[in-house]
Amino acid sequence: GEYIINPSFSPKLGELNKNIEAVRAQIDELREQVGDDLGIDVKLTENNTYTYVFEVNKKEGDEAFRKSKNKYKTISIKQKAISFTVNDLQDLVSEYNDHTQSYMEQQKEVVSKILEIVSTYYPAMEKASSLISEIDVLSAFAHVSSNSPNTYVRPKFNESGNLNLKESRHPCLALIDNTRCVANDCEMKRNI
């Protein structure tokens, strides 16, 4: 696994997150400026290679790019959209990626420390898990025995080590609707 830590958990993470948000806000401001310059609606989209690129409608973009003076670098032309970037966006994306990388490294350190601390509680959690499992089984038996249409009896144990069950069946079968269960006898004697 990958763990994601809330930035408020660590002052360093909080600072790095503020830097990421500030750069992201600058990218949004640049998107608005480019949209005003081109006179059309510009969207910000994620891209595997460039992290973020601008995208416009192909028809509107073709017309707007003809009027501009080659300050926009086309990345791809699709059926209905043109993806492009500008130098300022590339600089901001580089800064964004640097802050994000620092955040991930710091987050990895925090996760490592958390896991180190949590691992010391493993024996107690294992014991609690065992007890909860036992309580779960016993409460299920109690529920079944109290809600069963048949009565249950408590077994009697003696020193002989013999087992003698009369009309026995699995307790959960009594609660399943439309189930016909044939009760069985079982007799087991030691040393025979």
Side-chain angles (χ1 to χ4, degrees), residues 3 5 10-11 29-30 36 38 43 52 64 66-67 69 81 87 89-90 110 121 131 143 158 176 179-180:
Y3 299 95
I5 305 294
S10 160
E29 287 176 23
L30 180 62
D36 291 343
L38 291 173
K43 296 177 184 169
Y52 287 112
R66 283 191 199 107
K67 294 177 185 177
K69 297 181 176 147
N87 290 337
L89 178 60
Q90 290 174 326
V110 170
Y121 290 96
L131 292 173
H143 174 75
N158 59 32
I176 299 174
T179 301
R180 291 185 181 224

Side-chain angles (χ1 to χ4, degrees), residues 11-31:
K12 287 182 182 178
L13 285 177
E15 183 68 29
L16 290 168
N17 188 57
K18 284 180 187 176
N19 293 341
I20 292 170
E21 289 176 355
V23 173
R24 178 56 201 241
Q26 290 175 332
I27 291 172
D28 284 335
E29 287 176 23
L30 180 62
R31 180 192 56 79

Side-chain angles (χ1 to χ4, degrees), residues 88-113:
D88 290 344
L89 178 60
Q90 290 174 326
D91 294 341
L92 288 171
V93 164
S94 176
E95 188 179 345
Y96 176 86
N97 288 337
D98 290 343
H99 290 310
T100 301
Q101 182 64 33
S102 296
Y103 185 91
M104 297 305 277
E105 289 169 4
Q106 180 63 34
Q107 180 175 258
K108 198 172 187 177
E109 287 179 29
V110 170
V111 166
S112 179
K113 288 177 185 176

Side-chain angles (χ1 to χ4, degrees), residues 1 31-32 37 39 70 79 92 95 126 133 151 159 162 181:
R31 180 192 56 79
E32 290 177 11
D37 183 46
N70 294 331
Q79 197 171 27
L92 288 171
E95 188 179 345
E126 187 176 40
S133 297
T151 58
E159 299 294 324
N162 297 334
C181 177

Side-chain angles (χ1 to χ4, degrees), residues 151-164:
T151 58
Y152 288 92
V153 294
R154 183 178 176 161
K156 296 176 184 172
F157 296 97
N158 59 32
E159 299 294 324
S160 70
N162 297 334
L163 178 68
N164 189 8

Side-chain angles (χ1 to χ4, degrees), residues 126-162:
E126 187 176 40
K127 180 70 174 169
S129 175
S130 175
L131 292 173
I132 290 169
S133 297
E134 190 173 330
I135 290 170
D136 183 43
V137 168
L138 294 175
S139 67
F141 281 151
H143 174 75
V144 168
S145 67
S146 66
N147 293 311
S148 174
N150 304 314
T151 58
Y152 288 92
V153 294
R154 183 178 176 161
K156 296 176 184 172
F157 296 97
N158 59 32
E159 299 294 324
S160 70
N162 297 334

